[in-house]
Amino acid sequence: TAYSQARMLIVYIPAERPKGARRGLFGGGNKKTNESVSSDRVAIESLLSGKVAKAAHKRARKNGEETGSFVVWGAKAGSSEATSIMKRLKLVPTSSKGGKRPILGVVYPANVNSKEILSSRNIVPKLLAQHHCNPPPDAESMASWMNTLRKRHAKQYKIMQDAAKEIQMYKERIEGYKESVKSDTERKEKEAKEKAELKAKEKA
């Protein structure tokens, strides 16, 4: 997940639902629908571009961990997932001259209580920015937008990276404890076996 990787989440929801192979990847129909489909195509091509991939994998902080800075997540327009995430993040549907626009936002998978970061129940995502998509950004513009947000939210990246370190340390302590318990159990079993064998020899 974005939180476990200490990355921001890019949420993308296209303007139109896919209409099947006969009508193209993003559908087709009247002028307004075609404008929305064109916007979807631009946004998706940008998200799949090398420039955006490079921006997503760029280190979040100059002196921070060598991890990327963004993860991309998408859902079909009108799907239950899209409806749920829009409601949860308070993403605002936009339109231009009656035509729908794609929804593109950047989310910080925040934690409501830094003292309880080990519990996923405390992770509360927060919308940091929503692009107007009028027009949808091309690859260069989207990469520039991501770079700006990365610099602007360096503090949030640090919080996530610190949390990731603490979670890793906690897992290592748990594993160390399990190994200690296992070793102690094996030692006791071995001692009990040796005592039983000794008693058997004495009786013989």
Side-chain angles (χ1 to χ4, degrees):
T1 63
Y3 186 76
S4 63
Q5 296 177 37
R7 299 190 186 197
M8 297 296 181
L9 180 69
I10 295 177
V11 174
Y12 172 72
I13 301 172
E16 294 291 333
R17 298 183 183 185
K19 296 294 194 287
R22 292 183 180 180
R23 303 184 70 180
L25 180 60
F26 304 108
N30 57 39
K31 183 178 179 181
K32 292 179 181 178
T33 301
N34 288 336
E35 288 176 355
S36 298
V37 169
S38 178
S39 295
D40 286 339
R41 187 172 286 110
V42 171
I44 290 175
E45 288 177 352
S46 296
L47 287 169
L48 296 177
S49 70
K51 289 183 179 180
V52 168
K54 183 178 179 180
H57 292 298
K58 190 173 182 179
R59 183 185 293 195
R61 296 169 56 239
K62 187 176 181 179
N63 299 319
E65 298 296 313
E66 293 185 11
T67 58
S69 46
F70 293 94
V71 172
V72 179
W73 179 90
K76 292 181 180 179
S79 67
S80 58
E81 283 184 316
T83 301
S84 176
I85 199 72
M86 286 178 67
K87 184 177 180 181
R88 188 177 186 187
L89 297 175
K90 297 180 181 179
L91 287 161
V92 182
T94 58
S95 61
S96 178
K97 297 180 181 179
K100 297 178 182 177
R101 297 183 209 157
I103 292 175
L104 184 66
V106 172
V107 178
Y108 167 50
N111 198 287
V112 70
N113 189 337
S114 60
K115 294 181 180 180
E116 299 176 352
I117 63 173
L118 299 177
S119 174
S120 60
R121 291 175 298 179
N122 298 313
I123 298 175
V124 181
K126 178 183 179 182
L127 181 66
L128 294 179
Q130 181 175 349
H131 198 284
H132 53 72
C133 284
N134 185 28
D138 58 20
E140 188 172 348
S141 296
M142 189 176 292
S144 177
W145 184 55
M146 292 162 65
N147 289 334
T148 298
L149 289 170
R150 185 192 304 105
K151 293 176 183 177
R152 183 182 300 166
H153 297 288
K155 181 179 178 181
Q156 283 78 10
Y157 277 113
K158 185 179 187 305
I159 290 172
M160 287 193 292
Q161 290 178 356
D162 289 347
K165 284 183 181 179
E166 188 166 338
I167 290 171
Q168 183 60 36
M169 289 172 62
Y170 173 77
K171 289 180 178 179
E172 290 175 358
R173 287 198 298 270
I174 292 296
E175 286 301 315
Y177 174 73
K178 287 181 179 179
E179 286 297 321
S180 177
V181 170
K182 181 181 177 182
S183 177
D184 192 46
T185 300
E186 290 175 348
R187 178 182 59 78
K188 289 180 179 179
E189 289 177 348
K190 183 179 179 180
E191 289 177 352
K193 183 179 179 181
E194 290 175 348
K195 285 182 180 180
E197 290 176 347
L198 184 61
K199 284 185 179 181
K201 287 181 181 180
E202 290 176 348
K203 288 182 179 179

